[in-house]
Amino acid sequence: GNKSQDSGIAEMEELPVPHNIKISNITCDSFKISWEMDSKSKDRITHYFIDLNKKENKNSNKFKHKDVPTKLVAKAVPLPMTVRGHWFLSPRTEYTVAVQTASKQVDGDYVVSEWSEIIEFCTADYSKVHLTQLLEKAEVIAGRMLKLSVFYRNQHKEYFDYIREHHGNAMQPSVKDNSGSHGSPISGKLEGIFFSCNTEFNTGKPPQDSPYGRYRFEIAAEKLFNPNTNLYFGDFYCMYTAYHYVILVIAPVGSPGDEFCKQRLPQLNIKDNKFLTCDEEDGVMVYHHAQDVILEVIYTDPVDLSLGTVAEITGHQLMSLSTANAKKDPSCKTCNISVGR
């Protein structure tokens, strides 16, 4: 206290160590941080040092930018302080964070406090705003619309046998895997059944090849997609290939899947969008799909096999086209947005 001031000796008191750290307002690429500290020597604090690290785990995102410093030097602003853009924060990723207070000296060096305790938190999924940015990018390359009449799902014979035996003939929704964008809010959360609807340009029919097994369930488009269903945009991605995938979700109005999507995904007008449309012409439902993207359609309710047909396909099993847990190419300019990775 007073003694050192009287004698003119600048005896350095230790800077207060941040404690009781709180993380709030977490998005896919930002968060707010606040903490408490003793008032002693508080007025000497000029800067905060924040150490942020990805919590490394077996399947951690491989695209960590090695050259990005993990330590942020920030001016001592009022708390809570928003952290964004200083790092490539990835969506849906676990991080550790610790803080120290610092006082910049006349010579430019810093006196620092001890590090605080280490806190863990996880960034959020893409918000509807981010997904709308992805949607707009996907619209650019969707291409012209081609007619379709059926949705189809390829599997192995064992799968269909199992459905008949154990599920009373109804295919059951299952949780979507982690393929596609790292920030996708449907990965590991949305339950549904995957269908394809792409047609061959020359025949207007489904292709005879498939990566997912030699047996195909085919169902008339109007049985899954009609004015009693809502349509949502789920994702846009590629896997180091020339072609791109768009995930759409079809959910019967008011179903649990519909409620899930309403909160998280941009909704599309079923009659007028760039990917998959359903419209009435002369009393008949007419369907179109985008030509230049591969559509993956998730239907959120069980589907009875009696509503369609199961038959063996004549083509090949192209395993290279499988998208199971596929990782999105983070460097593709076409399908990445400027948040997260």
Side-chain angles (χ1 to χ4, degrees):
N2 295 341
K3 244 197 341 244
S4 63
Q5 283 170 2
D6 298 344
S7 60
I9 299 166
E11 193 180 278
M12 287 307 247
E13 287 183 30
E14 285 190 12
L15 289 169
V17 181
H19 60 269
N20 196 15
I21 296 174
K22 295 254 190 302
I23 305 282
S24 61
N25 294 64
I26 301 172
T27 73
C28 67
D29 65 344
S30 71
F31 60 92
K32 279 189 174 172
I33 185 166
S34 65
W35 58 83
E36 291 166 19
M37 48 196 164
D38 299 332
S39 51
K40 211 172 108 185
S41 302
K42 204 170 168 180
D43 49 356
R44 287 184 34 235
I45 298 169
T46 61
H47 291 78
Y48 305 137
F49 288 1
I50 298 178
D51 188 34
L52 181 77
N53 288 288
K54 218 171 240 179
K55 205 173 145 191
E56 292 301 339
N57 54 14
K58 299 188 296 297
N59 43 14
S60 67
N61 195 343
K62 295 286 181 286
F63 307 107
K64 186 171 164 75
H65 294 256
K66 291 279 179 271
D67 52 346
V68 177
T70 58
K71 200 177 286 175
L72 169 72
V73 179
K75 283 230 164 67
V77 294
L79 299 175
M81 178 176 111
T82 300
V83 177
R84 81 151 52 81
H86 301 284
W87 295 279
F88 295 98
L89 274 173
S90 301
R92 201 188 269 216
T93 303
E94 292 188 335
Y95 288 93
T96 60
V97 66
V99 199
Q100 52 185 185
T101 56
S103 176
K104 193 170 189 174
Q105 306 300 292
V106 182
D107 60 7
D109 276 353
Y110 290 95
V111 175
V112 294
S113 72
E114 298 283 309
W115 281 107
S116 70
E117 79 268 35
I118 294 172
I119 299 290
E120 296 181 3
F121 72 99
C122 187
T123 46
D125 296 333
Y126 283 156
S127 67
K128 266 194 199 176
V129 173
H130 300 119
L131 286 168
T132 301
Q133 291 172 16
L134 264 187
L135 162 65
E136 286 163 0
K137 293 201 122 189
E139 286 175 340
V140 172
I141 68 151
R144 65 192 181 104
M145 303 290 275
L146 301 176
K147 268 194 177 175
L148 74 117
S149 57
V150 297
F151 290 104
Y152 55 95
R153 173 175 172 79
N154 282 71
Q155 281 285 354
H156 301 284
K157 183 174 184 293
E158 295 75 33
Y159 169 83
F160 292 112
D161 291 344
Y162 187 86
I163 293 299
R164 290 185 188 102
E165 239 165 86
H166 299 274
H167 287 295
N169 217 36
M171 294 187 288
Q172 300 299 315
S174 59
V175 175
K176 186 199 165 298
D177 69 7
N178 284 314
S179 60
S181 299
H182 193 58
S184 166
I186 59 179
S187 291
K189 293 180 183 172
L190 178 68
E191 296 192 4
I193 306 169
F194 261 112
F195 285 94
S196 301
C197 65
N198 291 72
T199 55
E200 284 188 318
F201 186 69
N202 48 357
T203 65
K205 291 187 162 53
Q208 277 302 315
D209 303 320
S210 163
Y212 300 110
R214 298 201 55 86
Y215 283 76
R216 174 173 291 170
F217 172 73
E218 220 168 84
I219 184 169
E222 60 263 24
K223 293 197 173 155
L224 296 188
F225 186 35
N226 53 60
N228 298 319
T229 53
N230 282 328
L231 181 68
Y232 297 91
F233 171 81
D235 201 1
F236 176 45
Y237 70 101
C238 73
M239 305 172 294
Y240 306 90
T241 51
Y243 40 87
H244 277 83
Y245 295 86
V246 167
I247 298 180
L248 301 174
V249 184
I250 296 176
V253 174
S255 65
D258 190 33
E259 294 307 314
F260 177 94
C261 294
K262 213 170 237 127
Q263 314 291 322
R264 297 170 180 82
L265 306 181
Q267 187 170 346
L268 302 174
N269 177 344
I270 67 169
K271 292 183 177 184
D272 180 24
N273 68 78
K274 292 274 196 286
F275 310 108
L276 181 66
T277 60
C278 145
D279 210 352
E280 205 176 309
E281 290 176 21
D282 305 325
V284 181
M285 292 307 235
V286 181
Y287 293 85
H288 288 87
H289 71 88
Q291 168 186 316
D292 294 338
V293 290
I294 298 176
L295 294 178
E296 299 184 295
V297 177
I298 300 175
Y299 186 77
T300 62
D301 271 12
V303 176
D304 201 292
L305 293 178
S306 65
L307 295 172
T309 57
V310 177
E312 193 170 359
I313 57 171
T314 55
H316 304 285
Q317 243 186 281
L318 304 173
M319 289 318 294
S320 62
L321 282 174
S322 170
T323 60
N325 283 312
K327 287 285 165 268
K328 178 172 180 170
D329 176 358
S331 63
C332 175
K333 298 279 182 284
T334 307
C335 63
N336 282 286
I337 52 178
S338 61
V339 294
R341 276 288 176 272

